[in-house]
Every structure is written in structure tokens, then in C-alpha cells.
PDB file of all heavy atoms in Angstrom:
ATOM      1  N   PHE A 430       0.826  -1.217  -0.046  1.00  0.00           N
ATOM      2  CA  PHE A 430       0.100   0.041  -0.007  1.00  0.00           C
ATOM      3  C   PHE A 430       0.866   1.256  -0.024  1.00  0.00           C
ATOM      4  O   PHE A 430       0.342   2.263  -0.154  1.00  0.00           O
ATOM      5  CB  PHE A 430      -0.906  -0.006   1.229  1.00  0.00           C
ATOM      6  CG  PHE A 430      -2.125  -0.830   1.191  1.00  0.00           C
ATOM      7  CD1 PHE A 430      -2.266  -1.925   0.226  1.00  0.00           C
ATOM      8  CD2 PHE A 430      -3.198  -0.568   1.958  1.00  0.00           C
ATOM      9  CE1 PHE A 430      -3.245  -2.737   0.131  1.00  0.00           C
ATOM     10  CE2 PHE A 430      -4.382  -1.384   1.795  1.00  0.00           C
ATOM     11  CZ  PHE A 430      -4.339  -2.495   0.995  1.00  0.00           C
ATOM     12  N   PHE A 431       2.111   1.108   0.323  1.00  0.00           N
ATOM     13  CA  PHE A 431       2.957   2.326   0.381  1.00  0.00           C
ATOM     14  C   PHE A 431       3.446   2.743  -1.022  1.00  0.00           C
ATOM     15  O   PHE A 431       3.351   2.030  -1.921  1.00  0.00           O
ATOM     16  CB  PHE A 431       4.336   1.994   1.188  1.00  0.00           C
ATOM     17  CG  PHE A 431       4.122   1.692   2.626  1.00  0.00           C
ATOM     18  CD1 PHE A 431       3.502   0.777   3.258  1.00  0.00           C
ATOM     19  CD2 PHE A 431       4.564   2.845   3.493  1.00  0.00           C
ATOM     20  CE1 PHE A 431       3.425   0.642   4.597  1.00  0.00           C
ATOM     21  CE2 PHE A 431       4.437   2.795   4.918  1.00  0.00           C
ATOM     22  CZ  PHE A 431       3.885   1.646   5.439  1.00  0.00           C
ATOM     23  N   PRO A 432       3.951   4.094  -1.181  1.00  0.00           N
ATOM     24  CA  PRO A 432       4.410   4.374  -2.436  1.00  0.00           C
ATOM     25  C   PRO A 432       5.595   3.613  -2.777  1.00  0.00           C
ATOM     26  O   PRO A 432       6.185   2.843  -2.040  1.00  0.00           O
ATOM     27  CB  PRO A 432       4.904   5.781  -2.203  1.00  0.00           C
ATOM     28  CG  PRO A 432       4.043   6.313  -1.005  1.00  0.00           C
ATOM     29  CD  PRO A 432       3.823   5.100  -0.127  1.00  0.00           C
ATOM     30  N   GLU A 433       5.787   3.497  -4.072  1.00  0.00           N
ATOM     31  CA  GLU A 433       6.905   2.600  -4.578  1.00  0.00           C
ATOM     32  C   GLU A 433       8.272   2.731  -3.987  1.00  0.00           C
ATOM     33  O   GLU A 433       8.951   1.774  -3.532  1.00  0.00           O
ATOM     34  CB  GLU A 433       6.930   2.676  -6.172  1.00  0.00           C
ATOM     35  CG  GLU A 433       7.999   1.786  -6.802  1.00  0.00           C
ATOM     36  CD  GLU A 433       7.960   1.693  -8.367  1.00  0.00           C
ATOM     37  OE1 GLU A 433       7.294   2.594  -8.873  1.00  0.00           O
ATOM     38  OE2 GLU A 433       8.804   1.018  -8.895  1.00  0.00           O
ATOM     39  N   TRP A 434       8.692   4.004  -3.892  1.00  0.00           N
ATOM     40  CA  TRP A 434       9.900   4.278  -3.224  1.00  0.00           C
ATOM     41  C   TRP A 434      10.053   3.769  -1.829  1.00  0.00           C
ATOM     42  O   TRP A 434      10.990   3.320  -1.265  1.00  0.00           O
ATOM     43  CB  TRP A 434      10.189   5.870  -3.237  1.00  0.00           C
ATOM     44  CG  TRP A 434       9.366   6.653  -2.409  1.00  0.00           C
ATOM     45  CD1 TRP A 434       8.244   7.349  -2.828  1.00  0.00           C
ATOM     46  CD2 TRP A 434       9.571   6.993  -0.990  1.00  0.00           C
ATOM     47  NE1 TRP A 434       7.636   7.944  -1.731  1.00  0.00           N
ATOM     48  CE2 TRP A 434       8.475   7.839  -0.634  1.00  0.00           C
ATOM     49  CE3 TRP A 434      10.434   6.680  -0.145  1.00  0.00           C
ATOM     50  CZ2 TRP A 434       8.402   8.316   0.694  1.00  0.00           C
ATOM     51  CZ3 TRP A 434      10.328   7.057   1.192  1.00  0.00           C
ATOM     52  CH2 TRP A 434       9.299   7.847   1.612  1.00  0.00           C
ATOM     53  N   ALA A 435       8.831   4.011  -1.028  1.00  0.00           N
ATOM     54  CA  ALA A 435       8.852   3.468   0.332  1.00  0.00           C
ATOM     55  C   ALA A 435       8.818   1.965   0.457  1.00  0.00           C
ATOM     56  O   ALA A 435       9.585   1.315   1.335  1.00  0.00           O
ATOM     57  CB  ALA A 435       7.611   4.093   1.057  1.00  0.00           C
ATOM     58  N   ARG A 436       8.194   1.323  -0.567  1.00  0.00           N
ATOM     59  CA  ARG A 436       8.225  -0.114  -0.632  1.00  0.00           C
ATOM     60  C   ARG A 436       9.722  -0.618  -0.866  1.00  0.00           C
ATOM     61  O   ARG A 436      10.143  -1.654  -0.182  1.00  0.00           O
ATOM     62  CB  ARG A 436       7.425  -0.633  -1.687  1.00  0.00           C
ATOM     63  CG  ARG A 436       5.945  -0.434  -1.414  1.00  0.00           C
ATOM     64  CD  ARG A 436       4.974  -1.480  -2.406  1.00  0.00           C
ATOM     65  NE  ARG A 436       5.404  -1.211  -3.687  1.00  0.00           N
ATOM     66  CZ  ARG A 436       4.692  -0.383  -4.615  1.00  0.00           C
ATOM     67  NH1 ARG A 436       3.606   0.342  -4.144  1.00  0.00           N
ATOM     68  NH2 ARG A 436       4.958  -0.377  -5.866  1.00  0.00           N
ATOM     69  N   ASP A 437      10.429   0.060  -1.792  1.00  0.00           N
ATOM     70  CA  ASP A 437      11.666  -0.368  -2.042  1.00  0.00           C
ATOM     71  C   ASP A 437      12.645  -0.181  -0.777  1.00  0.00           C
ATOM     72  O   ASP A 437      13.493  -1.034  -0.599  1.00  0.00           O
ATOM     73  CB  ASP A 437      12.315   0.383  -3.224  1.00  0.00           C
ATOM     74  CG  ASP A 437      11.528   0.061  -4.561  1.00  0.00           C
ATOM     75  OD1 ASP A 437      10.937  -0.944  -4.614  1.00  0.00           O
ATOM     76  OD2 ASP A 437      11.525   0.981  -5.504  1.00  0.00           O
ATOM     77  N   VAL A 438      12.413   0.917  -0.085  1.00  0.00           N
ATOM     78  CA  VAL A 438      13.287   1.166   1.104  1.00  0.00           C
ATOM     79  C   VAL A 438      12.955   0.035   2.202  1.00  0.00           C
ATOM     80  O   VAL A 438      13.912  -0.455   2.760  1.00  0.00           O
ATOM     81  CB  VAL A 438      13.146   2.495   1.581  1.00  0.00           C
ATOM     82  CG1 VAL A 438      13.709   2.707   2.947  1.00  0.00           C
ATOM     83  CG2 VAL A 438      13.711   3.587   0.588  1.00  0.00           C
ATOM     84  N   LEU A 439      11.707  -0.197   2.397  1.00  0.00           N
ATOM     85  CA  LEU A 439      11.376  -1.117   3.535  1.00  0.00           C
ATOM     86  C   LEU A 439      11.915  -2.522   3.187  1.00  0.00           C
ATOM     87  O   LEU A 439      12.444  -3.160   4.209  1.00  0.00           O
ATOM     88  CB  LEU A 439       9.842  -1.104   3.635  1.00  0.00           C
ATOM     89  CG  LEU A 439       9.206   0.032   4.473  1.00  0.00           C
ATOM     90  CD1 LEU A 439       7.829   0.004   4.420  1.00  0.00           C
ATOM     91  CD2 LEU A 439       9.721   0.056   5.813  1.00  0.00           C
ATOM     92  N   TRP A 440      11.791  -2.880   1.950  1.00  0.00           N
ATOM     93  CA  TRP A 440      12.305  -4.266   1.750  1.00  0.00           C
ATOM     94  C   TRP A 440      13.853  -4.436   1.726  1.00  0.00           C
ATOM     95  O   TRP A 440      14.420  -5.516   1.443  1.00  0.00           O
ATOM     96  CB  TRP A 440      11.760  -4.727   0.324  1.00  0.00           C
ATOM     97  CG  TRP A 440      10.382  -5.263   0.278  1.00  0.00           C
ATOM     98  CD1 TRP A 440       9.247  -4.555  -0.152  1.00  0.00           C
ATOM     99  CD2 TRP A 440       9.967  -6.491   0.752  1.00  0.00           C
ATOM    100  NE1 TRP A 440       8.095  -5.424   0.094  1.00  0.00           N
ATOM    101  CE2 TRP A 440       8.406  -6.598   0.642  1.00  0.00           C
ATOM    102  CE3 TRP A 440      10.590  -7.599   1.395  1.00  0.00           C
ATOM    103  CZ2 TRP A 440       7.698  -7.602   1.107  1.00  0.00           C
ATOM    104  CZ3 TRP A 440       9.816  -8.679   1.844  1.00  0.00           C
ATOM    105  CH2 TRP A 440       8.479  -8.729   1.674  1.00  0.00           C
ATOM    106  N   MET A 441      14.535  -3.286   1.916  1.00  0.00           N
ATOM    107  CA  MET A 441      15.951  -3.402   2.205  1.00  0.00           C
ATOM    108  C   MET A 441      16.175  -3.477   3.609  1.00  0.00           C
ATOM    109  O   MET A 441      17.348  -3.454   4.073  1.00  0.00           O
ATOM    110  CB  MET A 441      16.640  -2.162   1.576  1.00  0.00           C
ATOM    111  CG  MET A 441      16.625  -2.217   0.045  1.00  0.00           C
ATOM    112  SD  MET A 441      17.732  -0.833  -0.774  1.00  0.00           S
ATOM    113  CE  MET A 441      16.740   0.489  -0.475  1.00  0.00           C
ATOM    114  N   THR A 442      15.145  -3.433   4.402  1.00  0.00           N
ATOM    115  CA  THR A 442      15.344  -3.465   5.914  1.00  0.00           C
ATOM    116  C   THR A 442      14.801  -4.901   6.371  1.00  0.00           C
ATOM    117  O   THR A 442      14.093  -5.618   5.605  1.00  0.00           O
ATOM    118  CB  THR A 442      14.600  -2.429   6.567  1.00  0.00           C
ATOM    119  OG1 THR A 442      13.211  -2.674   6.504  1.00  0.00           O
ATOM    120  CG2 THR A 442      14.892  -1.032   5.990  1.00  0.00           C
ATOM    121  N   PRO A 443      15.044  -5.192   7.628  1.00  0.00           N
ATOM    122  CA  PRO A 443      14.429  -6.635   8.097  1.00  0.00           C
ATOM    123  C   PRO A 443      13.010  -6.500   8.468  1.00  0.00           C
ATOM    124  O   PRO A 443      12.406  -7.519   8.702  1.00  0.00           O
ATOM    125  CB  PRO A 443      15.264  -6.750   9.482  1.00  0.00           C
ATOM    126  CG  PRO A 443      15.672  -5.520   9.920  1.00  0.00           C
ATOM    127  CD  PRO A 443      15.951  -4.563   8.572  1.00  0.00           C
ATOM    128  N   PHE A 444      12.319  -5.272   8.473  1.00  0.00           N
ATOM    129  CA  PHE A 444      10.871  -5.208   9.012  1.00  0.00           C
ATOM    130  C   PHE A 444      10.021  -6.105   8.198  1.00  0.00           C
ATOM    131  O   PHE A 444       9.097  -6.677   8.778  1.00  0.00           O
ATOM    132  CB  PHE A 444      10.435  -3.756   8.906  1.00  0.00           C
ATOM    133  CG  PHE A 444      11.221  -2.897   9.930  1.00  0.00           C
ATOM    134  CD1 PHE A 444      12.105  -1.893   9.624  1.00  0.00           C
ATOM    135  CD2 PHE A 444      10.847  -3.000  11.302  1.00  0.00           C
ATOM    136  CE1 PHE A 444      12.756  -1.150  10.581  1.00  0.00           C
ATOM    137  CE2 PHE A 444      11.417  -2.180  12.238  1.00  0.00           C
ATOM    138  CZ  PHE A 444      12.431  -1.219  11.865  1.00  0.00           C
ATOM    139  N   PRO A 445       9.921  -6.115   6.814  1.00  0.00           N
ATOM    140  CA  PRO A 445       8.893  -6.891   6.286  1.00  0.00           C
ATOM    141  C   PRO A 445       9.131  -8.460   6.482  1.00  0.00           C
ATOM    142  O   PRO A 445       8.171  -9.265   6.344  1.00  0.00           O
ATOM    143  CB  PRO A 445       9.149  -6.649   4.681  1.00  0.00           C
ATOM    144  CG  PRO A 445       9.574  -5.236   4.692  1.00  0.00           C
ATOM    145  CD  PRO A 445      10.548  -5.256   5.810  1.00  0.00           C
ATOM    146  N   ALA A 446      10.338  -8.782   6.930  1.00  0.00           N
ATOM    147  CA  ALA A 446      10.560 -10.212   7.234  1.00  0.00           C
ATOM    148  C   ALA A 446       9.726 -10.663   8.407  1.00  0.00           C
ATOM    149  O   ALA A 446       9.549 -11.916   8.726  1.00  0.00           O
ATOM    150  CB  ALA A 446      12.035 -10.422   7.430  1.00  0.00           C
ATOM    151  N   LEU A 447       9.282  -9.705   9.178  1.00  0.00           N
ATOM    152  CA  LEU A 447       8.527 -10.049  10.415  1.00  0.00           C
ATOM    153  C   LEU A 447       7.113 -10.481  10.216  1.00  0.00           C
ATOM    154  O   LEU A 447       6.647 -11.363  10.815  1.00  0.00           O
ATOM    155  CB  LEU A 447       8.603  -8.927  11.338  1.00  0.00           C
ATOM    156  CG  LEU A 447       9.949  -8.473  11.804  1.00  0.00           C
ATOM    157  CD1 LEU A 447       9.897  -6.968  12.509  1.00  0.00           C
ATOM    158  CD2 LEU A 447      10.496  -9.403  12.890  1.00  0.00           C
ATOM    159  N   MET A 448       6.365  -9.737   9.307  1.00  0.00           N
ATOM    160  CA  MET A 448       5.050 -10.038   9.008  1.00  0.00           C
ATOM    161  C   MET A 448       4.688 -10.213   7.581  1.00  0.00           C
ATOM    162  O   MET A 448       3.986 -11.156   7.094  1.00  0.00           O
ATOM    163  CB  MET A 448       4.179  -8.928   9.661  1.00  0.00           C
ATOM    164  CG  MET A 448       4.432  -8.802  11.160  1.00  0.00           C
ATOM    165  SD  MET A 448       3.564 -10.017  12.121  1.00  0.00           S
ATOM    166  CE  MET A 448       1.857  -9.505  12.011  1.00  0.00           C
ATOM    167  N   GLN A 449       5.123  -9.254   6.727  1.00  0.00           N
ATOM    168  CA  GLN A 449       4.701  -9.188   5.413  1.00  0.00           C
ATOM    169  C   GLN A 449       5.160 -10.398   4.488  1.00  0.00           C
ATOM    170  O   GLN A 449       4.415 -10.895   3.626  1.00  0.00           O
ATOM    171  CB  GLN A 449       5.179  -7.784   4.625  1.00  0.00           C
ATOM    172  CG  GLN A 449       4.599  -7.648   3.434  1.00  0.00           C
ATOM    173  CD  GLN A 449       3.061  -7.434   3.391  1.00  0.00           C
ATOM    174  OE1 GLN A 449       2.584  -6.527   4.046  1.00  0.00           O
ATOM    175  NE2 GLN A 449       2.236  -8.246   2.736  1.00  0.00           N
ATOM    176  N   ALA A 450       6.360 -10.901   4.835  1.00  0.00           N
ATOM    177  CA  ALA A 450       6.960 -11.918   4.107  1.00  0.00           C
ATOM    178  C   ALA A 450       6.141 -13.201   4.117  1.00  0.00           C
ATOM    179  O   ALA A 450       5.776 -13.749   3.153  1.00  0.00           O
ATOM    180  CB  ALA A 450       8.377 -12.202   4.520  1.00  0.00           C
ATOM    181  N   PRO A 451       5.799 -13.804   5.420  1.00  0.00           N
ATOM    182  CA  PRO A 451       4.969 -14.895   5.395  1.00  0.00           C
ATOM    183  C   PRO A 451       3.624 -14.823   4.788  1.00  0.00           C
ATOM    184  O   PRO A 451       2.961 -15.678   4.191  1.00  0.00           O
ATOM    185  CB  PRO A 451       4.939 -15.331   6.982  1.00  0.00           C
ATOM    186  CG  PRO A 451       5.506 -14.061   7.660  1.00  0.00           C
ATOM    187  CD  PRO A 451       6.244 -13.369   6.715  1.00  0.00           C
ATOM    188  N   ILE A 452       3.043 -13.573   4.954  1.00  0.00           N
ATOM    189  CA  ILE A 452       1.728 -13.254   4.412  1.00  0.00           C
ATOM    190  C   ILE A 452       1.766 -13.294   2.953  1.00  0.00           C
ATOM    191  O   ILE A 452       0.978 -13.895   2.267  1.00  0.00           O
ATOM    192  CB  ILE A 452       1.181 -11.860   4.869  1.00  0.00           C
ATOM    193  CG1 ILE A 452       0.922 -12.012   6.400  1.00  0.00           C
ATOM    194  CG2 ILE A 452      -0.099 -11.539   4.073  1.00  0.00           C
ATOM    195  CD1 ILE A 452       0.494 -10.575   6.991  1.00  0.00           C
ATOM    196  N   ASP A 453       2.868 -12.737   2.369  1.00  0.00           N
ATOM    197  CA  ASP A 453       3.049 -12.702   0.844  1.00  0.00           C
ATOM    198  C   ASP A 453       3.119 -14.212   0.302  1.00  0.00           C
ATOM    199  O   ASP A 453       2.545 -14.501  -0.728  1.00  0.00           O
ATOM    200  CB  ASP A 453       4.197 -11.900   0.458  1.00  0.00           C
ATOM    201  CG  ASP A 453       3.911 -10.491   0.420  1.00  0.00           C
ATOM    202  OD1 ASP A 453       2.711 -10.030   0.656  1.00  0.00           O
ATOM    203  OD2 ASP A 453       4.852  -9.732   0.213  1.00  0.00           O
ATOM    204  N   ILE A 454       3.837 -15.051   0.964  1.00  0.00           N
ATOM    205  CA  ILE A 454       3.954 -16.384   0.659  1.00  0.00           C
ATOM    206  C   ILE A 454       2.703 -17.125   0.607  1.00  0.00           C
ATOM    207  O   ILE A 454       2.424 -17.906  -0.228  1.00  0.00           O
ATOM    208  CB  ILE A 454       4.987 -17.120   1.543  1.00  0.00           C
ATOM    209  CG1 ILE A 454       6.391 -16.566   1.241  1.00  0.00           C
ATOM    210  CG2 ILE A 454       5.045 -18.708   1.278  1.00  0.00           C
ATOM    211  CD1 ILE A 454       7.486 -17.229   2.197  1.00  0.00           C
ATOM    212  N   PHE A 455       1.864 -16.843   1.775  1.00  0.00           N
ATOM    213  CA  PHE A 455       0.484 -17.407   1.799  1.00  0.00           C
ATOM    214  C   PHE A 455      -0.350 -17.008   0.595  1.00  0.00           C
ATOM    215  O   PHE A 455      -1.102 -17.878   0.039  1.00  0.00           O
ATOM    216  CB  PHE A 455      -0.105 -17.173   3.101  1.00  0.00           C
ATOM    217  CG  PHE A 455      -1.285 -18.001   3.417  1.00  0.00           C
ATOM    218  CD1 PHE A 455      -1.261 -19.215   4.044  1.00  0.00           C
ATOM    219  CD2 PHE A 455      -2.598 -17.527   3.014  1.00  0.00           C
ATOM    220  CE1 PHE A 455      -2.397 -19.870   4.335  1.00  0.00           C
ATOM    221  CE2 PHE A 455      -3.675 -18.267   3.202  1.00  0.00           C
ATOM    222  CZ  PHE A 455      -3.616 -19.420   3.973  1.00  0.00           C
ATOM    223  N   LEU A 456      -0.378 -15.785   0.363  1.00  0.00           N
ATOM    224  CA  LEU A 456      -1.312 -15.148  -0.578  1.00  0.00           C
ATOM    225  C   LEU A 456      -0.776 -15.388  -2.070  1.00  0.00           C
ATOM    226  O   LEU A 456      -1.575 -15.172  -3.156  1.00  0.00           O
ATOM    227  CB  LEU A 456      -1.326 -13.737  -0.417  1.00  0.00           C
ATOM    228  CG  LEU A 456      -2.090 -13.280   0.832  1.00  0.00           C
ATOM    229  CD1 LEU A 456      -2.086 -11.737   0.962  1.00  0.00           C
ATOM    230  CD2 LEU A 456      -3.616 -13.723   0.649  1.00  0.00           C
ATOM    231  N   GLY A 457       0.429 -15.877  -2.240  1.00  0.00           N
ATOM    232  CA  GLY A 457       1.008 -16.057  -3.603  1.00  0.00           C
ATOM    233  C   GLY A 457       1.531 -14.803  -4.177  1.00  0.00           C
ATOM    234  O   GLY A 457       1.644 -14.821  -5.483  1.00  0.00           O
ATOM    235  N   HIS A 458       2.003 -13.910  -3.389  1.00  0.00           N
ATOM    236  CA  HIS A 458       2.530 -12.650  -3.853  1.00  0.00           C
ATOM    237  C   HIS A 458       4.084 -12.771  -3.918  1.00  0.00           C
ATOM    238  O   HIS A 458       4.727 -12.909  -2.953  1.00  0.00           O
ATOM    239  CB  HIS A 458       2.084 -11.527  -3.095  1.00  0.00           C
ATOM    240  CG  HIS A 458       0.737 -11.136  -2.978  1.00  0.00           C
ATOM    241  ND1 HIS A 458       0.086 -10.254  -2.247  1.00  0.00           N
ATOM    242  CD2 HIS A 458      -0.264 -11.592  -3.934  1.00  0.00           C
ATOM    243  CE1 HIS A 458      -1.212 -10.205  -2.440  1.00  0.00           C
ATOM    244  NE2 HIS A 458      -1.476 -10.997  -3.559  1.00  0.00           N
TER     245      HIS A 458
END
């Protein structure tokens, strides 16, 4: 939902590994 530049920055940090990563795997993203 974030702007593209914010998404790119966040995925260079460990934060999405906490919640977003397993959710994406489940949803097929």
C-alpha cells in the first residue's frame, strides 16, 4: 500500500521479514 519508493526502502530492511513476508508467501505474492 506504500508508495513505490517506500516499498523499495522497506524491503531493504528486516521489517517486512517479520510479518509481510509470510503473508505474501501464503497469498501467492
Side-chain angles (χ1 to χ4, degrees):
F430 282 21
F431 284 77
E433 183 177 357
W434 66 267
R436 294 198 302 267
D437 294 340
V438 170
L439 281 177
W440 280 104
M441 290 188 290
T442 73
F444 288 105
L447 297 166
M448 302 283 287
Q449 189 65 59
I452 293 174
D453 280 355
I454 288 178
F455 190 93
L456 291 175
H458 294 171

